[in-house]
Amino acid sequence: MTSLDTRSTTTDVLRFPQGFRWGTATAAYQIEGAAEEDGRTPSIWDTFSRTPGKVRNGDTGDIAADHYHRLDEDIELMRRLGVSDYRFSVAWPRVQPTGRGPAVQRGLDFYRRMVDGLLDAGIRPVATLYHWDLPQELEDAGGWPERDTAYRFAEYAGIVADALGDRVATWTTLNEPWCSAFLGYGSGVHAPGRTSPLASLRAAHHLNLAHGLAVGALRRAVPVTAQVSLTLNLHAVRPLSPDPADVDAARRIDAVGNRVFLDPVFHGRLPEDLVRDTAAVTDWSFVEDGDLATASAPIDALGINYYSPTVVGAGSSESPSPWAGAERHVRFVPAPGPRTAMDWPVDADGLHSLLLRLRDELPRVPLIITENGAAYDDYADPSGHVKDPERITYLRAHLAAVHRAIQDGADVQGYFLWSLLDNFEWAYGYSKRFGIVHVDFATQRRTFKDSAHWYADVIARGGMQV
Ligand code: FCB
C-alpha cells in the first residue's frame, strides 16, 4: 500500500508518494492512422466511421495523428514531458488481422519498436490489449455478444504477451468494457452501432469472460513481476436526493454501469439486483458454469477512467439507451457547475468519492487512474502558442482529489493524463481536443499546450503547487 508522508505535505505543495507513476495515455485507433498498412485490416471502428451519419463530419481514423509514422517524435515528446509511464493500446487488427490464426510480424514489429523506444527513453510501457478496435471479421461472426469472441481475445492476448511480455510493466486486458458493451451494442453510438439490450448484456458477460481468459494467457507468458490489470470507467453515480425513489434509480445505474463488471471480476458473481432488473430482457442463461470463476482470476491493479459524475433521479429517459431497460426508471440530471467542450460537468469530488468507495470495497486492490482529462476548444495563436487555462484548472482539481483520496487511505499508484495528443474522439471525430499536445491535423505539427508545460512541472516536482 502506498503511504503518503504527510510531513512532506506543506501548505503550498501537494506532494505525491515516492514512486508515484506519472503518465499519459492514448489508444491505437485514435492516433495511429496507417489504417491499411503492413497487413492491418478493418476493425469495427473503420466500418462504423465510414457509415454515413455515425461520426461527426464523416471523420475516420485513416490518418488520425499519424502516430504510426511519427513514433520516434512522439516518444521524444514524452521524454520532454518527463513521464515515467506511457499507456498505449495494441491494435488487434494490426497484429491478428482476421481475429484468428497466426500473427502478422510487421504489425507486432511496430509495438516492439515502441516498447524498445520507450525503454530507451526511460519510460515504462503500459499496454492495453483492447481499446475498442475489434477485427471486423469477428463482428461479422457475431462480435462480443457471441462467446467465441472471448476465446479469440485470449488467443490474441497470448500472441502479444509472447512478443512483448518481457518488457511491458503493466498489462491491461480491456479498456472500458462498459463502452464496448453498452455504447456499442445498446445505444449504438459507438461501433458496431447495434441497439439491442440483450446483445449489450451478452457482450458485457463475454467481455468479463474474455478478461479472465486473457489474464490466464498473460500469466502464462509474462514474468511474475509484470502487473496484470483491467480498466473500467466506473460511474460516480449520485442520487438527486435522499428520496428512496431517487436512491433506487442510482442503484439501478450502479448495477448496470458498475457492478456488472465489478462483481464478476472481483467477486465471481452476478449482481442479484441486476439479474432481477433485467429479467424482461434475459434469464442470463448464456452464463455457463465456471465462467464467473474464470472472470474473477486475481489481478494486480484496477485502472479507473474518470471524467465526470452521473446524477440520477426517479423518472424515465429515452430509448435506445445504454442502460438495458433501466432507462424506463431513471432520469439523468445535468450536474451543476462549469462544463468542458464535451458538455461534461467538471466535478472532481466524483473522483474522490469513487476512490474512497474502492478503498472500502476492494481494500486489497491497488488503483491506477488510467485516464483523466478534458476537451476544450484549443487553438494555436499566430505566434504558435496554445493557451488552455481551463484544462489546467480541471487537471489541478482532479489531481488534488486524487491526493486527498491517497491521504484518506486509497492505494492510488499512478495517474495517466488523457491524452498525450489531440486525436480522433470516437463519434465526435476530430471536433474535440483532449491532448496536452496540440496537433494541427493538416500538417501533423505537434505543439505543447500550456497544460503540457504545467504537467511537466508537476512531474518534475512530484507534486503540485497550490
Ligand atoms: C474514454 C475513452 C478514451 C477517450 C476518453 C475521452 O471513454 O477510453 O478513448 O475517448 O474517453
Side-chain angles (χ1 to χ4, degrees), residues 27 30 87 131-132 175-176 179 233 305 307 342 344 371 418 423-426 434:
Q30 295 181 273
R87 174 178 183 253
H131 201 125
W132 307 351
N175 174 70
E176 303 191 356
C179 295
N233 58 315
N305 293 355
Y307 291 92
M342 298 294 283
W344 294 348
E371 286 182 28
W418 183 272
N423 60 49
F424 175 83
E425 177 47 38
W426 308 114
F434 273 92

Side-chain angles (χ1 to χ4, degrees), residues 248-421:
D248 194 59
R251 177 200 61 75
R252 283 179 186 271
I253 295 306
D254 186 50
V256 70
N258 297 331
R259 288 181 284 113
V260 61
F261 299 108
L262 288 173
D263 280 16
V265 168
F266 291 102
H267 307 296
R269 65 173 186 233
L270 289 173
E272 274 173 31
D273 58 337
L274 176 66
V275 173
R276 230 175 21 246
D277 292 348
T278 54
V281 179
T282 178
D283 61 4
W284 292 80
S285 54
F286 48 82
V287 179
E288 296 186 8
D289 281 354
D291 284 3
L292 294 168
T294 302
S296 57
I299 54 175
D300 307 313
L302 174 64
I304 308 295
N305 293 355
Y306 175 84
Y307 291 92
S308 60
T310 307
V311 183
V312 297
S316 66
S317 324
E318 273 174 29
S319 186
S321 94
W323 304 107
E327 70 279 3
R328 284 199 298 276
H329 309 271
V330 178
R331 153 173 90 92
F332 293 84
V333 184
R339 305 197 155 236
T340 70
M342 298 294 283
D343 204 26
W344 294 348
V346 178
D347 184 332
D349 286 342
L351 177 55
H352 179 257
S353 54
L354 196 55
L355 293 172
L356 293 204
R357 170 188 180 174
L358 294 166
R359 173 201 66 184
D360 296 342
E361 291 183 9
L362 301 172
R364 278 177 295 282
V365 181
L367 307 173
I368 304 175
I369 310 299
T370 38
E371 286 182 28
N372 176 242
Y376 290 101
D377 295 327
D378 313 308
Y379 58 91
D381 71 17
S383 67
H385 188 164
V386 186
K387 297 195 187 86
D388 57 344
E390 307 100 319
R391 179 173 293 103
I392 295 175
T393 304
Y394 178 99
L395 295 171
R396 291 182 79 87
H398 287 77
L399 270 179
V402 173
H403 188 270
R404 197 150 46 90
I406 296 174
Q407 281 186 313
D408 293 339
D411 185 11
V412 187
Q413 302 194 335
Y415 176 90
F416 288 72
L417 200 161
W418 183 272
S419 182
L420 175 65
L421 302 169

Side-chain angles (χ1 to χ4, degrees), residues 28 32 88-97 99 101-115 125-131 133 135 151-173 214 216-223 226:
E32 283 180 3
F88 62 95
S89 81
V90 176
W92 189 348
R94 226 181 252 303
V95 165
Q96 202 190 25
V104 168
Q105 290 304 320
R106 278 170 304 162
L108 279 173
D109 284 346
F110 172 68
Y111 299 104
R112 288 192 181 103
R113 265 202 317 119
M114 183 190 303
V115 165
V126 173
T128 298
L129 289 168
Y130 186 72
H131 201 125
D133 40 6
Y151 293 100
R152 302 282 62 77
F153 180 68
E155 183 181 89
Y156 154 72
I159 290 172
V160 182
D162 282 337
L164 306 176
D166 53 336
R167 283 159 294 161
V168 169
T170 299
W171 291 90
T172 302
T173 54
L218 286 165
R219 296 280 188 216
R220 281 190 286 281
V222 305

